[in-house]
Amino acid sequence: QVQLVESGGGLVQPGGSLRLSCAASGDIFSIENTGWYRQAPGKQRELVAAVTSGGSTNYADSVKGRFTISRDNAKNTVYLQMNSLKPEDTAVYYCNADGYSAKEQSYMYYWGRGTPVTVFS
């Protein structure tokens, strides 16, 4: 099993920046891909950014050029640097990880509990 704990959310004005962190523990060697999702009130959860074990990244069109995902394997932590924030970025941000677990003998998907981000004027 893998445990994910997010931090770094908060209140910020439009144009501001925040950096989210996601610390992983447990069966971390089973992790292949990690990512950030968000869910705004009344909307479905959507992918924001993802990074593979090989370092390839993928971003939602709405955040390209503003958000950067990075992964520090030594610290077992994934970051989401968010710049030029807009009110429409307001959501709860969730960390996600997946990979094959030899212990479970199954491909596993893990989620953190989320950290709220509010962008307001």
Side-chain angles (χ1 to χ4, degrees):
Q1 292 290 320
V2 171
Q3 295 77 43
L4 303 173
V5 178
E6 304 98 333
S7 61
L11 303 174
V12 64
Q13 291 185 331
S17 298
L18 284 175
R19 188 176 82 156
L20 306 183
S21 300
C22 172
S25 60
D27 189 15
I28 58 173
F29 295 105
S30 70
I31 296 175
E32 296 180 22
N33 308 304
T34 55
W36 288 94
Y37 287 71
R38 68 186 180 187
Q39 187 166 18
K43 295 188 177 181
Q44 289 188 330
R45 191 172 297 189
E46 62 175 358
L47 174 68
V48 177
V51 57
T52 68
S53 57
S56 297
T57 57
N58 181 41
Y59 295 92
D61 288 343
S62 60
V63 307
K64 283 181 180 177
R66 300 188 297 123
F67 291 11
T68 303
I69 189 170
S70 60
R71 183 168 165 170
D72 187 334
N73 291 328
K75 295 183 177 180
N76 303 322
T77 300
V78 177
Y79 303 99
L80 184 68
Q81 179 66 44
M82 305 187 295
N83 299 327
S84 302
L85 282 160
K86 304 175 181 180
E88 51 263 43
D89 295 317
T90 295
V92 177
Y93 284 71
Y94 297 90
C95 182
N96 165 268
D98 61 66
Y100 183 80
S101 170
K103 182 177 181 180
E104 303 292 335
Q105 295 190 340
S106 176
Y107 204 87
M108 304 292 289
Y109 298 85
Y110 306 99
W111 291 93
R113 292 188 175 183
T115 184
V117 171
T118 303
V119 184
F120 71 105
S121 298

